[in-house]
Amino acid sequence: MGASISHASAAAPPPPLPGYAPPPPFGASDGAQPPPPTNTREGENEAAEEKVDYMNLPCPVPYEEIQREAFMSLKPEIFEGLRFDFTKMLNPFFGLSHSVSMGPMEIPSQGTDVIKVPTSNYEFGANFVDPKMMLVGRVSHDGRVTARVKCDLLENLCLKINAQLTNEPHYSQGMFSFDYKGKDFRSQFQIGNNAFYGANYIQSVTKNLSLGTEAFWLGQQRKSGVGFVTRYDTKKTVRFFIYL
């Protein structure tokens, strides 16, 4: 007698039913896409931008411009009455202006009451603007004359002259200013009547922060002073601190 052994392969699975789809793999949701790979270069660029390049800082705004910003923020230009300004350019460099204002003027008093005196004023002006020079003059109906001159002596050196002449004694004023603009700093030296001498300096510390200081001496009145300023400028806000 003999024995025989036979081996048969497993039967093939039945075909899928019509309209049937195999389930998605584990962890995949319907319609969900795999998360994109993180870009490490963007983070590296942002970190590089936050680093301060002390050899390539921007030039700060002039010291007197910070004082103007503070004055306009704390005491905006408001008036009571009527004002009319008209300017006519005769050519690209020269123009004439007319200004009329009417309204009360506040006079300080010893008490808490405010004294208002009605006043009116008319000014005739002439302006000359050139890429390297600017001349501005005003003459009022009461004989007051004001003049401003700005002239670029060198690429980084500028001369400014402010003058006011009046009929009243001891009220006429004049001042000369020399402004020097560096790569990341500005400096100014001032000299005026009544033995006035002043100087200021402002330096960029970072691309947004600048620090400055000033000092003056008024010889006729034997007075002196020192001031400090801090300005932080971003794309949306400007913050400053002034100590006099």
Side-chain angles (χ1 to χ4, degrees):
M1 295 180 61
S4 62
I5 300 174
S6 63
H7 176 75
S9 59
L17 298 177
Y20 172 80
F26 179 79
S29 58
D30 296 340
Q33 299 293 334
T38 57
N39 190 357
T40 58
R41 294 182 178 179
E42 294 181 359
E44 294 177 357
N45 294 337
E46 292 179 358
E49 291 179 356
E50 293 179 356
K51 295 182 179 179
V52 179
D53 186 5
Y54 293 100
M55 302 302 296
N56 191 22
L57 295 177
C59 186
V61 299
Y63 193 96
E64 55 188 7
E65 182 68 17
I66 301 179
Q67 295 178 338
R68 189 190 67 84
E69 291 177 350
F71 182 81
M72 294 298 296
S73 300
L74 301 177
K75 189 177 180 181
E77 184 181 3
I78 57 177
F79 68 95
E80 180 181 355
L82 172 67
R83 187 172 65 182
F84 173 77
D85 296 327
F86 175 78
T87 302
K88 174 65 175 178
M89 296 300 298
L90 303 181
N91 56 51
F93 303 100
F94 184 73
L96 301 177
S97 64
H98 303 270
S99 178
V100 179
S101 61
M102 294 181 293
M105 180 179 61
E106 297 183 359
I107 299 178
S109 60
Q110 297 181 355
T112 58
D113 297 336
V114 178
I115 302 176
K116 295 184 178 181
V117 179
T119 59
S120 61
N121 184 47
Y122 167 76
E123 286 186 352
F124 172 78
N127 306 324
F128 177 80
V129 180
D130 186 74
K132 293 186 178 181
M133 179 177 293
M134 182 181 68
L135 305 175
V136 179
R138 297 287 186 272
V139 179
S140 63
H141 71 283
D142 57 357
R144 186 177 68 254
V145 179
T146 58
R148 290 188 301 165
V149 178
K150 179 181 178 182
C151 179
D152 295 336
L153 303 178
L154 299 174
E155 183 179 358
N156 297 329
L157 184 61
C158 175
L159 170 64
K160 297 179 182 179
I161 303 175
N162 295 328
Q164 179 178 354
L165 304 177
T166 62
N167 297 328
E168 302 179 6
H170 307 293
Y171 277 87
S172 297
Q173 299 177 359
M175 181 176 295
F176 293 82
S177 302
F178 296 90
D179 298 358
Y180 183 80
K181 177 182 178 182
K183 183 180 179 181
D184 55 0
F185 70 93
R186 289 179 183 266
S187 60
Q188 184 184 67
F189 176 74
Q190 299 174 332
I191 180 173
N193 60 332
N194 299 327
F196 174 82
Y197 302 95
N200 59 65
Y201 178 86
I202 185 169
Q203 171 74 52
S204 292
V205 181
T206 65
K207 64 179 182 179
N208 298 327
L209 179 64
S210 56
L211 304 177
T213 182
E214 69 169 346
F216 70 89
W217 165 258
L218 190 58
Q220 187 173 0
Q221 300 180 5
R222 300 293 180 178
K223 292 183 178 181
S224 61
V226 179
F228 302 93
V229 66
T230 301
R231 186 177 189 270
Y232 186 80
D233 184 8
T234 62
K235 296 180 179 180
K236 296 182 179 181
T237 60
V238 176
R239 305 172 185 176
F240 46 81
F241 172 78
I242 299 178
Y243 176 79
L244 299 176

PDB file of all heavy atoms in Angstrom, residues 17 61 65 181 194 222-224 226:
ATOM      1  N   LEU A  17     -17.372  43.984  -4.496  1.00  0.00           N
ATOM      2  CA  LEU A  17     -18.702  44.311  -4.985  1.00  0.00           C
ATOM      3  C   LEU A  17     -18.664  45.598  -5.809  1.00  0.00           C
ATOM      4  O   LEU A  17     -17.818  46.451  -5.610  1.00  0.00           O
ATOM      5  CB  LEU A  17     -19.658  44.458  -3.803  1.00  0.00           C
ATOM      6  CG  LEU A  17     -19.853  43.204  -2.938  1.00  0.00           C
ATOM      7  CD1 LEU A  17     -20.757  43.512  -1.754  1.00  0.00           C
ATOM      8  CD2 LEU A  17     -20.408  42.047  -3.767  1.00  0.00           C
ATOM      9  N   VAL A  61      16.432 111.326  13.113  1.00  0.00           N
ATOM     10  CA  VAL A  61      15.832 112.605  12.763  1.00  0.00           C
ATOM     11  C   VAL A  61      16.545 113.712  13.532  1.00  0.00           C
ATOM     12  O   VAL A  61      17.190 113.464  14.561  1.00  0.00           O
ATOM     13  CB  VAL A  61      14.324 112.608  13.092  1.00  0.00           C
ATOM     14  CG1 VAL A  61      13.604 111.537  12.304  1.00  0.00           C
ATOM     15  CG2 VAL A  61      14.097 112.422  14.583  1.00  0.00           C
ATOM     16  N   GLU A  65      13.559 118.328  15.463  1.00  0.00           N
ATOM     17  CA  GLU A  65      12.351 117.690  14.942  1.00  0.00           C
ATOM     18  C   GLU A  65      11.635 116.909  16.037  1.00  0.00           C
ATOM     19  O   GLU A  65      10.401 116.861  16.068  1.00  0.00           O
ATOM     20  CB  GLU A  65      12.711 116.770  13.780  1.00  0.00           C
ATOM     21  CG  GLU A  65      11.536 116.075  13.123  1.00  0.00           C
ATOM     22  CD  GLU A  65      10.608 117.017  12.377  1.00  0.00           C
ATOM     23  OE1 GLU A  65      11.034 118.162  12.095  1.00  0.00           O
ATOM     24  OE2 GLU A  65       9.481 116.606  12.083  1.00  0.00           O
ATOM     25  N   LYS A 181      25.292 116.225   9.367  1.00  0.00           N
ATOM     26  CA  LYS A 181      24.615 114.936   9.256  1.00  0.00           C
ATOM     27  C   LYS A 181      25.629 113.847   8.996  1.00  0.00           C
ATOM     28  O   LYS A 181      26.311 113.842   7.968  1.00  0.00           O
ATOM     29  CB  LYS A 181      23.585 114.976   8.116  1.00  0.00           C
ATOM     30  CG  LYS A 181      22.870 113.662   7.882  1.00  0.00           C
ATOM     31  CD  LYS A 181      21.913 113.766   6.717  1.00  0.00           C
ATOM     32  CE  LYS A 181      21.230 112.435   6.428  1.00  0.00           C
ATOM     33  NZ  LYS A 181      20.321 112.531   5.244  1.00  0.00           N
ATOM     34  N   ASN A 194      21.928 138.133  22.218  1.00  0.00           N
ATOM     35  CA  ASN A 194      21.891 138.037  23.688  1.00  0.00           C
ATOM     36  C   ASN A 194      22.891 137.010  24.209  1.00  0.00           C
ATOM     37  O   ASN A 194      22.676 136.401  25.258  1.00  0.00           O
ATOM     38  CB  ASN A 194      20.488 137.708  24.192  1.00  0.00           C
ATOM     39  CG  ASN A 194      19.472 138.765  23.828  1.00  0.00           C
ATOM     40  OD1 ASN A 194      19.792 139.961  23.751  1.00  0.00           O
ATOM     41  ND2 ASN A 194      18.241 138.348  23.567  1.00  0.00           N
ATOM     42  N   ARG A 222      22.485 135.050  32.148  1.00  0.00           N
ATOM     43  CA  ARG A 222      23.240 134.148  33.015  1.00  0.00           C
ATOM     44  C   ARG A 222      22.447 132.875  33.320  1.00  0.00           C
ATOM     45  O   ARG A 222      22.319 132.441  34.470  1.00  0.00           O
ATOM     46  CB  ARG A 222      23.605 134.850  34.321  1.00  0.00           C
ATOM     47  CG  ARG A 222      24.458 136.086  34.150  1.00  0.00           C
ATOM     48  CD  ARG A 222      25.843 135.732  33.628  1.00  0.00           C
ATOM     49  NE  ARG A 222      26.674 136.934  33.467  1.00  0.00           N
ATOM     50  CZ  ARG A 222      27.938 136.899  33.056  1.00  0.00           C
ATOM     51  NH1 ARG A 222      28.507 135.743  32.771  1.00  0.00           N
ATOM     52  NH2 ARG A 222      28.624 138.023  32.921  1.00  0.00           N
ATOM     53  N   LYS A 223      21.918 132.257  32.267  1.00  0.00           N
ATOM     54  CA  LYS A 223      21.152 131.022  32.421  1.00  0.00           C
ATOM     55  C   LYS A 223      21.743 129.937  31.531  1.00  0.00           C
ATOM     56  O   LYS A 223      22.263 130.212  30.463  1.00  0.00           O
ATOM     57  CB  LYS A 223      19.675 131.231  32.065  1.00  0.00           C
ATOM     58  CG  LYS A 223      18.920 132.131  33.034  1.00  0.00           C
ATOM     59  CD  LYS A 223      17.458 132.213  32.643  1.00  0.00           C
ATOM     60  CE  LYS A 223      16.678 133.075  33.617  1.00  0.00           C
ATOM     61  NZ  LYS A 223      15.233 133.157  33.257  1.00  0.00           N
ATOM     62  N   SER A 224      21.649 128.700  32.002  1.00  0.00           N
ATOM     63  CA  SER A 224      22.127 127.546  31.248  1.00  0.00           C
ATOM     64  C   SER A 224      21.186 126.383  31.481  1.00  0.00           C
ATOM     65  O   SER A 224      20.396 126.378  32.440  1.00  0.00           O
ATOM     66  CB  SER A 224      23.559 127.177  31.654  1.00  0.00           C
ATOM     67  OG  SER A 224      23.601 126.826  33.026  1.00  0.00           O
ATOM     68  N   VAL A 226      20.461 121.868  30.372  1.00  0.00           N
ATOM     69  CA  VAL A 226      20.840 120.602  29.740  1.00  0.00           C
ATOM     70  C   VAL A 226      19.570 119.783  29.548  1.00  0.00           C
ATOM     71  O   VAL A 226      18.686 119.772  30.426  1.00  0.00           O
ATOM     72  CB  VAL A 226      21.867 119.821  30.582  1.00  0.00           C
ATOM     73  CG1 VAL A 226      22.209 118.487  29.907  1.00  0.00           C
ATOM     74  CG2 VAL A 226      23.120 120.639  30.794  1.00  0.00           C
TER      75      VAL A 226
END
